Amino acid sequence: MQIGIIGLPNVGKSTLFNALLKKQVALAANYPFATVEPNIGVVDVPDERLDKLAELVKVEFGGRNGEREVPEKTIPAVVKFVDIAGLVKGASEGEGLGNKFLSHIREVDAIVHVIRDFEDENVTRAGSTNPQSDKEIIETELILADLQVLETRAGSLGKDSRVPDKDQAKKSQALEKLSVALKKGELASSVGLSDGEKELVKDLNLLTFKPVIQVFNVSESAVASGSEISVSTNSVQLCAKLESELSNLSEEEQKEYLKELGLKLSGLDKVIKLGYDLLGLQTFLTAGPKEVRAWTIKKGTKAPQAAGTIHTDFERGFISAEVISYENLIAVGGWKAAKDKGLIRIEGKTYEMKDGDVVEFNFSV
């Protein structure tokens, strides 16, 4: 799963990306189009359950296995972030290498839209005016790009052999609904399409269908003062510059700094967790002396398919899953104790995995 970071030039995208990766990978520069080719980085999903599980395993199996520590590895779930170059007004018509940048956005599953909400005379605005205007400029360019796709597809619909004849009329109606909404300045995601219609237009890969997190990049003083802005559920307020500085501190130093600011989570952690949730993802856990690990699956995944994320043989030869919730496992003090108390459930092929399930799969190949 990939999340693309977009916005006008000089709004703090690359600074945010650098902080996400906890190292200076992207070129953060005070001029437009400092990023041309997208930078890509894989980021750990914050999950305090892993550390607690690792401690549990250490106690249950002993601190060491010969020369090796127990557990040998702790592996978190990850999300891939893509730093995409700044869009400008007219991008849908090719301004500022717009077509190239828009094509990069089509390849991601969700979007982080960084919006400038700070004043700094040393950072060129490059088309940025105010948060609402900046938001509208980007949305307008994405809408215009989607309209171009719809116009092209509508003209060739009857010639598309991939669409069965019985579905041609349904797809045409769906395209018309989308076209009407986009021409009104509405996003494709706001159109009430049925599941069947969504499937028929899925191949269009419309930009405004993608889930969006709005990140308001504020000043350090706004964060320090605890200033709040009116934002929706899928919005986060952070200071990219501060997050970049935080990323260079040790874990303990970060916690102390956040405490001083009166914050429980860094803005970055909020973005990562929100992105994970926005993509409809959840985590199941495995815990043993070799490794404690978080595995990423889509919500609604059945046990055999979850097993397949570990190894295809696990899915092919799936017999059953031994499952306990993370909370119950921690409360009882370990896998052996949970088994002795009869708390481990045996689940079959129809079991739908839950976030935080701790699992051992039984299989035969």
Side-chain angles (χ1 to χ4, degrees), residues 112-123:
V112 166
H113 180 185
V114 181
I115 300 167
R116 178 169 174 162
D117 196 20
F118 66 89
E119 294 296 333
D120 188 338
E121 60 185 25
N122 296 315
V123 179

Side-chain angles (χ1 to χ4, degrees), residues 230-352:
S230 179
V231 293
S232 67
T233 308
N234 290 341
S235 294
V236 175
Q237 179 186 8
L238 58 74
C239 172
K241 185 180 176 185
L242 178 63
E243 297 292 337
S244 188
E245 292 169 359
L246 267 173
S247 69
N248 293 316
L249 302 177
S250 69
E251 192 173 334
E252 284 306 312
E253 288 172 331
Q254 286 183 38
K255 287 179 181 177
E256 189 60 36
Y257 197 2
L258 289 171
K259 189 177 178 181
E260 287 177 16
L261 294 172
L263 302 172
K264 291 182 180 178
L265 279 177
S266 73
L268 286 182
D269 286 350
K270 291 176 187 175
V271 171
I272 296 166
K273 286 188 171 184
L274 186 52
Y276 199 71
D277 189 56
L278 202 60
L279 289 170
L281 303 177
Q282 65 181 21
T283 299
F284 74 87
L285 307 158
T286 54
K290 285 283 185 185
E291 67 176 27
V292 169
R293 184 163 182 167
W295 301 86
T296 300
I297 53 173
K298 294 283 283 185
K299 290 176 181 176
T301 298
K302 298 288 200 307
Q305 288 69 51
T309 63
I310 298 176
H311 197 287
T312 52
D313 285 350
F314 285 26
E315 180 176 0
R316 188 157 51 91
F318 180 88
I319 297 172
S320 63
E322 297 182 40
V323 185
I324 184 172
S325 71
Y326 163 80
E327 289 79 11
N328 286 344
L329 184 63
I330 292 295
V332 78
W335 190 268
K336 185 177 181 301
K339 213 157 196 174
D340 291 343
K341 292 178 182 292
L343 298 176
I344 306 292
R345 310 187 314 273
I346 304 298
E347 301 288 359
K349 293 181 178 180
T350 60
Y351 177 67
E352 192 173 292

